[in-house]
Each structure stands twice: as structure tokens, then as C-alpha cells.
Amino acid sequence: MKKILVTGTAGFIGFHVAKRLLDDGYEVTGLDCINEYYDVNLKYARLRELGIDQNLIRDSIPVQSARYPLHQFIKIRLENRDSIPVIFQQGGFDTVIHLAAQAGVRYSLENPWAYIDSNITGHLNILEACRHYPVEHLVFASSSSVYGLNEKMPLSVSDNVDHPISLYAATKKSDELMSHVYSHLYGIPVTGLRFFTVYGPWGRPDMALFLFTKAILEGKSIEIYNHGKMIRDFTYIDDIVEGILRVARKPPAGNPDWSGETPDPSTSRARYRLCNIGNSNPVKLEDFINAIEQELGKKAERIYLPIQPGDVPETFADVSHLEKEFGYRPATDIRQGIREFITWYKAFYRIP
């Protein structure tokens, strides 16, 4: 990997990936549309950490980083069919780490069109660009949400995922299917990564850890869905980044033993594969909240509610593929991760 395109660098995971790559000396072009799904001030703050001056940002115009000589940022929507190929043509990228997407399960019930525009049309534009301006490896973000109604635990990339229960999940499965088509037809080496409940510093304000921390500090109640019976495979951001970079450095070669008679969804004769990246240590939501309370030194007022449409009650990642192919397994303890987030949160929002 020499010249790398990272999409979604104003977002939570994309920001961390770009910063790690830049700190390691790689040349990085970052893309993001900076939409208003959540507080844009947080997104601009992430970009400032990457040396990007907010006042210089204009649509489709590259901005050079003041901190990292090998970094430029371009504000653009992925569904911009005409501009994406130009960026690829001028960039000459070796690797694409495609993390930009319209996130959020519940928001997909309110604004489904945003998911089709960003996650389907935008993903297609990235695939088309990789087709016409070949790269050594395309790595893209999928989600544990694709497992939908699956109940067999742990959740394996070799399992069938034909029953998503949110449009967000359906778009992510669509991305996987489209990626396999392009790998099969055009020889593009592609890896899809299914992330499991990512948390940590600079996290998204719509995620549980951010919401709970903010509410508890402000003395407000927190809403707990499924009457507190949710179980999540919380995965710390540094573990996610390490997994992404290990995978990105090793493009798939194709599996000569793959059989159409007993098809494994995680691999193919084409240069295509899927991997879970999760802590593989699911935590009860009640225990998660207890750890937040302990770190804050303050109890939460809890309101218990039914499970929300589109939510799954439990996630638990089978990371055996990740261990076997890349010798890696996320391992950050939930209490350590929560401590790191709260330390960042208090510093960022200047809370004593």
C-alpha cells in the first residue's frame, strides 16, 4: 500500500483509519460529504485533527492538510457519478478503504432514500471506479446488521444472511453482493468487513455509549430497549482499525476449493472474501451501563422500553476467519474502552 483512498474520513471509523495511516507515513486522500445526520461540528473537529482547515473546504476541491504533507481531503458525495472517476483517475490509488455510508438502523426507517443514495448508488460508483482505474485491493465496510434474524451464535461469515430486518442491513448485504459481482466479472480484489458495534473516542453521537454518557452527566434519564435484555459484541475502535489495516495489506487470491454445490458465502473462486471484526466477547447492555456508571461515578435513571423496529437482540462475532488468515483477534476489555471514551468525551466537551 502506497497511495490510499479512504472514504468517510470525517466519520468515526474513517477518521481513525486515516489518522493511523498518516501517522504510519502513508499517502492518503480522504473523501466525505459531511452530511448532517449528526453534529457536523464533531465531523469538522475530526478533520482538524487530520490538519484540514474547515474554512478551505469546498465541494469537489482538494484541501491540503497543514499537519500531514501526504494528506488531502475532498468534500464530495459518493453518489456524484461524474466526479468519483475523476478522483480515481487523478489519484492513482493502490488501495481503497471504503468506509463512507449512511449509518444508523433506526434512521433508515425515517429516511430510506438516503441509504439507497449513499450505500447503493455510492457503493456502485466506487466499484465502477475500481473497475476502470484498477486497484490492488478494495476493502469496504459491511455490518453485523446483515445477520438480521439469524439466531445461531456466534455469527459466522459462512452463515446464510437472507433475512435482514432493516433497510440499512439490506443495503449492506447489497454492497456485499455487488462487490462479488465486480470481483467475478472484472477481477477486482475485494474484502467486505462486518463490523460489530464499534465504540471509542471520537465516536458517533447516535450510539449507545455517547448517548448514555451525555445523559448521565447531564442528569437525564436513559432509554434502554428490549427491557435491558440486549446483548452486544462491543468492539473498540483501535481493534477495528488494526483489523482493517491487516486485511488491507493482504488482498484475497480467490479460493480454488470453493464449490458451487456447497457454496460458502464468505469466499469465492473470485478474488473476494468476507470477514467479521468483533471482540467475540458479547456484553449484556445492563453490564455495559454499569461500567459507564462506575467510570462516571454517577448512577443513571433508567427507562425500559420494548425492542425497536430493525434492532436485533444479540450479536456475537465468530472471528475464526480473521484469526486464521491474519493472525489477529480484537481483545480490548470493555472497561478499558469505556474509560478511554469517557476521558476523551470530558476533554472534548471540556467537562471537569
Side-chain angles (χ1 to χ4, degrees):
M1 300 192 302
K2 297 176 183 177
K3 301 180 71 174
I4 305 172
L5 176 69
V6 181
T7 71
T9 54
F12 175 32
I13 302 175
F15 157 72
H16 279 279
V17 169
K19 189 173 188 308
R20 167 73 181 276
L21 288 168
L22 291 165
D23 287 340
D24 289 349
Y26 290 99
E27 182 175 350
V28 176
T29 295
L31 305 183
D32 204 292
C33 70
I34 318 179
N35 69 20
E36 297 183 353
Y37 170 61
Y38 61 79
D39 185 11
V40 296
N41 293 314
L42 177 57
K43 297 182 179 184
Y44 282 123
R46 292 178 184 136
L47 291 175
R48 285 195 297 273
E49 288 290 306
L50 301 177
I52 301 300
D53 185 343
Q54 175 181 343
N55 297 314
L56 299 178
I57 295 175
R58 302 287 186 276
D59 288 349
S60 303
I61 305 298
V63 178
Q64 187 64 40
S65 170
R67 181 173 300 172
Y68 296 100
L70 296 179
H71 178 48
Q72 67 171 356
F73 172 80
I74 305 171
K75 181 184 178 184
I76 194 166
R77 302 188 70 85
L78 291 181
E79 55 266 39
N80 189 327
R81 183 175 172 180
D82 296 326
S83 296
I84 297 298
V86 174
I87 292 171
F88 272 73
Q89 182 182 35
Q90 296 175 347
F93 306 117
D94 300 297
T95 302
V96 175
I97 300 177
H98 175 36
L99 304 171
Q102 177 57 60
V105 168
R106 292 171 195 142
Y107 185 60
S108 67
L109 279 67
E110 301 173 27
N111 187 3
W113 297 274
Y115 293 78
I116 302 303
D117 291 342
S118 180
N119 300 5
I120 301 295
T121 303
H123 190 75
L124 175 61
N125 287 340
I126 293 293
L127 289 170
E128 273 290 293
C130 291
R131 169 191 174 187
H132 293 289
Y133 303 97
V135 298
E136 295 175 7
H137 196 185
L138 166 61
V139 179
F140 72 95
S142 185
S143 169
S144 61
S145 296
V146 301
Y147 290 105
L149 293 176
N150 288 21
E151 295 180 355
K152 180 177 71 68
M153 299 293 162
L155 300 164
S156 168
V157 286
S158 294
D159 293 338
N160 177 288
V161 288
D162 281 343
H163 299 88
I165 58 173
S166 70
L167 184 66
Y168 169 69
T171 62
K172 285 301 186 179
K173 179 177 180 183
S174 298
D175 290 346
E176 295 178 358
L177 296 174
M178 289 159 52
S179 297
H180 181 266
V181 169
Y182 271 70
S183 181
H184 172 75
L185 291 177
Y186 308 116
I188 303 171
V190 185
T191 301
L193 300 176
R194 294 175 178 169
F195 300 141
F196 281 70
T197 316
V198 189
Y199 75 102
W202 297 98
R204 279 172 32 205
D206 62 320
M207 297 292 283
L209 179 54
F210 205 114
L211 289 168
F212 293 163
T213 298
K214 183 175 186 293
I216 293 170
L217 286 172
E218 294 176 356
K220 298 178 181 178
S221 60
I222 62 173
E223 295 182 343
I224 305 173
Y225 298 115
N226 198 27
H227 304 288
K229 298 178 182 178
M230 303 288 265
I231 298 174
R232 286 290 180 270
D233 202 348
F234 294 100
T235 311
Y236 189 61
I237 182 62
D238 289 358
D239 292 341
I240 291 286
V241 172
E242 180 65 24
I244 291 171
L245 298 191
R246 288 196 183 210
V247 169
R249 296 187 189 105
K250 186 179 177 182
N255 181 3
D257 298 324
W258 188 88
S259 170
E261 293 182 354
T262 55
D264 180 349
S266 70
T267 184
S268 174
R269 295 191 193 100
R271 302 186 67 185
Y272 171 88
R273 69 177 166 223
L274 297 170
C275 288
N276 286 335
I277 303 185
N279 209 49
S280 199
N281 186 23
V283 175
K284 294 179 181 178
L285 187 56
E286 293 279 8
D287 293 337
F288 185 70
I289 296 168
N290 291 339
I292 298 171
E293 292 174 331
Q294 184 174 354
E295 189 62 33
L296 291 174
K298 193 173 182 180
K299 299 293 288 184
E301 179 184 341
R302 308 182 186 201
I303 299 175
Y304 292 93
L305 297 170
I307 194 167
Q308 299 296 289
D311 278 354
V312 297
E314 180 178 1
T315 62
F316 177 5
D318 177 349
V319 294
S320 57
H321 284 68
L322 192 66
E323 289 185 279
K324 181 179 179 181
E325 288 200 47
F326 307 100
Y328 180 65
R329 182 186 183 94
T332 301
D333 178 75
I334 192 72
R335 292 185 180 276
Q336 177 188 343
I338 288 173
R339 185 177 305 116
E340 294 290 341
F341 170 80
I342 290 174
T343 299
W344 166 82
Y345 184 94
K346 288 181 175 179
F348 185 77
Y349 290 105
R350 301 178 181 177
I351 298 172

